[in-house]
Amino acid sequence: MELPDDDMLATATLDTPIGELRLAATEAGLAAVLFPNQEDVSFPKRDGSADARAHLDRAVNALTRYFEGRQRDFSELTLAAEGTAFQKSVWAALARIPYGETRSYAQIAREIGNPKGMRAVGLANGRNPIPIIVPCHRVIGANGSLMGFGGGLPTKKWLLEFEGIATPSFV
């Protein structure tokens, strides 16, 4: 993932139980949430424009409330994820997975009208630039396995258990 090279870009960090998250927003909305293990992504420190900063501040506040157990939904945030039309359709389906529930790759593929597209759904899921807020951690294998996750499987397991979802003990 690459962040926009834009002077209007606003960035921030947030200490959480899963480590320091890095967030970026443009004037259009929240553009990225990066996990601590995503050190390969260049992350310039920028104040950005007032509009970008407002999007960023709302996201930081929402994530803070999430990790305090006081927020379960992020629908009030304006998102500006860059991706293909297919990726955006997958991300929209992910955003509809309720807190405390999971879906399989096959279920997401059926939901977006591409029942044989499980692998493509998995790839789009892995390219989600706004994890947690667009809850890609709630997508699991058909057999209940955790599968891959950009923040690492221990982080995925932590997020799911934080939301009250039982996970396999072998992770």
Side-chain angles (χ1 to χ4, degrees):
M1 170 199 325
E2 286 190 31
L3 296 175
D5 185 21
D6 183 349
D7 288 337
M8 301 298 178
L9 183 74
T11 62
T13 58
L14 177 65
D15 286 325
T16 74
I18 58 172
E20 185 179 83
L21 299 179
R22 297 175 295 157
L23 292 82
T26 65
E27 290 189 333
L30 184 66
V33 174
L34 300 168
F35 290 109
N37 67 330
Q38 293 176 293
E39 296 169 354
D40 59 325
V41 178
S42 175
F43 198 81
K45 293 188 186 235
R46 293 197 176 144
D47 289 334
S49 69
D51 287 342
R53 176 62 50 196
H55 290 301
L56 189 64
D57 290 345
R58 283 192 291 277
V60 166
N61 289 333
L63 282 167
T64 298
R65 289 189 306 273
Y66 170 83
F67 285 110
E68 292 171 346
R70 298 185 303 124
Q71 180 152 347
R72 296 179 169 204
D73 174 77
F74 297 102
S75 60
E76 83 282 2
L77 298 178
T78 302
L79 307 181
E82 293 289 327
T84 67
F86 178 79
Q87 288 170 332
K88 289 179 179 182
S89 73
V90 170
W91 301 336
L94 300 179
R96 292 188 293 271
I97 303 172
Y99 181 99
E101 295 184 21
T102 60
R103 299 289 184 273
S104 70
Y105 295 95
Q107 288 173 306
I108 298 295
R110 285 192 299 274
E111 182 179 333
I112 64 169
N114 189 354
K116 295 183 180 183
M118 284 104 41
R119 184 172 297 230
V121 165
L123 291 171
N125 194 49
R127 294 195 180 274
N128 172 19
I130 310 174
I132 304 171
I133 290 170
V134 175
C136 53
H137 63 280
R138 296 180 189 154
V139 181
I140 59 173
N143 65 357
S145 61
L146 296 188
M147 309 298 283
F149 185 64
L153 289 181
T155 298
K156 182 172 187 165
K157 181 176 177 65
W158 189 95
L159 289 167
L160 291 172
E161 289 177 351
F162 176 71
E163 293 184 10
I165 300 167
T167 60
S169 59
F170 54 85
V171 173

